[in-house]
Amino acid sequence: MLKNYFNKTLVEAGCDEAGRGCLAGPVFAAAVILPPGFRMPQLDDSKKLSDKVRKQLRPVIEKEALAWYVARVEAAEIDEINILQASFLAMHRAIDGLSITPQQLLIDGNRFKKYHTLPHQCIIGGDGLYKSIAAASVLAKTYRDDYMDELSLAFPAYHWISNKGYGTLQHRAAIRTYGSCEHHRKTFRLLPDQLELDL
């Protein structure tokens, strides 16, 4: 069962990202502040949920959360500052967008770049432990999936509607055939024989 809080006395925002390991598209992040006693039996780490369930949970989270925000960092920015820093930046942008200032941040993962003077807790596997992080993981994942679906309409050759930018065999085969586009992360190893690929 997911926990309601890390510290009961503080207003906590859960933060998580989606798309860190993709070859194409932005990295998304969400920040969510849930009300005390928030109940959602199906809520879990978004990776453990079906696409259908994630899409059912998203509007409920958005309606019942005290505050939430989703932000992204584009592929070109990722190439400029690297994916770790881009993940931190995406979370910072999500926190920036909250209508309520939290007193503590709960971060999924083992590293984070301090956000102003707010205390934070890095929690490995936090999206499977705390409701606010799990809610953030659902928002980040669903918003990123929707974005990649839209991009896929303009770039159908890469099959992003099914692979969401991850390095599937189908995606890599398309890169080999058509080359990369402006939404690919040029600093990532797009193909095993990267040096032979004309970017």
Side-chain angles (χ1 to χ4, degrees):
M1 178 180 287
L2 299 182
K3 300 175 183 178
N4 284 308
Y5 50 81
F6 184 89
N7 186 329
K8 189 176 183 178
T9 66
L10 299 177
V11 176
E12 297 177 331
C15 303
D16 200 7
E17 51 75 26
R20 184 168 164 176
C22 294
L23 303 182
V27 61
F28 274 62
V32 179
I33 299 174
L34 295 176
F38 177 78
R39 291 178 56 82
M40 182 179 279
Q42 286 182 293
L43 183 62
D44 205 343
D45 170 5
S46 65
K47 295 185 292 294
K48 299 176 183 177
L49 303 174
S50 69
D51 182 58
K52 179 181 178 181
V53 171
R54 286 194 296 264
K55 287 178 178 176
Q56 290 172 341
L57 296 183
R58 185 170 99 179
V60 180
I61 293 168
E62 293 175 347
K63 180 181 178 182
E64 297 193 21
L66 297 178
W68 64 271
Y69 199 81
V70 179
R72 69 178 189 254
V73 173
E74 304 293 346
E77 294 178 277
I78 294 170
D79 287 334
E80 190 175 324
I81 63 175
N82 79 48
I83 187 59
L84 179 62
Q85 296 303 317
S87 297
F88 296 158
L89 178 58
M91 284 193 268
H92 282 209
R93 287 177 177 173
I95 299 162
D96 283 341
L98 291 173
S99 58
I100 297 173
T101 301
Q103 297 171 304
Q104 177 163 261
L105 305 173
L106 302 185
I107 308 297
D108 182 58
N110 62 352
R111 284 189 285 181
F112 184 63
K113 185 175 181 179
K114 189 171 180 65
Y115 179 83
H116 300 307
T117 59
L118 281 184
H120 66 267
Q121 294 290 334
C122 291
I123 303 162
I124 297 173
D127 47 3
L129 294 173
Y130 291 92
K131 291 178 182 178
S132 61
I133 304 179
S137 78
V138 169
L139 295 191
K141 172 66 174 166
T142 55
Y143 272 88
R144 187 180 191 281
D145 284 356
D146 286 353
Y147 185 84
M148 294 308 294
D149 289 350
E150 290 180 19
L151 279 188
S152 189
L153 296 176
F155 298 86
Y158 300 109
H159 308 283
W160 290 334
I161 200 159
S162 58
N163 64 53
K164 309 306 182 191
Y166 284 92
T168 62
L169 291 175
Q170 187 183 45
H171 187 187
R172 290 183 190 274
I175 296 171
R176 189 180 297 279
T177 300
Y178 303 105
S180 62
C181 74
E182 65 261 35
H183 297 290
H184 281 101
R185 302 172 184 177
K186 305 302 193 294
T187 53
F188 279 45
R189 194 178 186 204
L190 301 180
L191 292 176
D193 51 348
Q194 183 78 61
L195 294 179
E196 297 177 17
L197 181 65
D198 181 12
L199 296 178

